[in-house]
Amino acid sequence: MIARRKRLLIGVFVVMVLFGLARFSHAQFNSSVAGTVTDPTGAVVPNAQVTLHSLQTGIELKNSTNSSGIYRFNGIGPGSYQVTVEAAGFAGKVINVNVTQDQVVG
């Protein structure tokens, strides 16, 4: 018998804040990627492993969901990212996120 793996559903909320101060000649960028990992029934998935991968720089950040299934990556710049979520007993999920302005994705 072949074991079926449940699918992970992830909501990703991308928030980017641009701070432009007149006294500086350049703008400062600060953004976050956050979301909630749930299973097909809507139940949250705690301790899921979440990876944020920058497609421009190759830098990866790793985090895990809390007991409410929530994860967050703070202090990232604008660009294209892949969010990968993995949890025991579930098929992995990958989504692409473009951070360019204030937005909610998911």
Side-chain angles (χ1 to χ4, degrees):
M1 184 180 257
I2 298 174
R4 291 189 177 179
R5 300 187 85 179
K6 296 179 184 177
R7 299 175 93 189
L8 286 174
L9 302 176
I10 58 175
V12 177
F13 304 97
V14 180
V15 180
M16 178 168 156
V17 181
L18 171 63
F19 296 97
L21 302 176
R23 62 186 172 178
F24 294 108
S25 62
H26 64 280
Q28 297 177 17
F29 293 97
N30 186 16
S31 59
S32 298
V33 174
T36 303
V37 178
T38 59
D39 69 13
T41 69
V44 298
V45 180
N47 300 315
Q49 300 305 305
V50 185
T51 303
L52 181 70
H53 174 81
S54 169
L55 298 176
Q56 281 80 26
T57 66
I59 293 174
E60 287 190 351
L61 302 173
K62 296 187 182 280
N63 204 342
S64 59
T65 57
N66 65 17
S67 61
S68 298
I70 298 170
Y71 67 89
R72 176 182 279 304
F73 295 96
N74 291 318
I76 63 169
S80 297
Y81 295 89
Q82 281 187 332
V83 179
T84 304
V85 179
E86 299 174 309
F90 293 93
K93 176 79 174 180
V94 177
I95 62 170
N96 293 317
V97 177
N98 289 314
V99 178
T100 58
Q101 60 187 5
D102 292 340
Q103 59 183 319
V104 176
V105 178

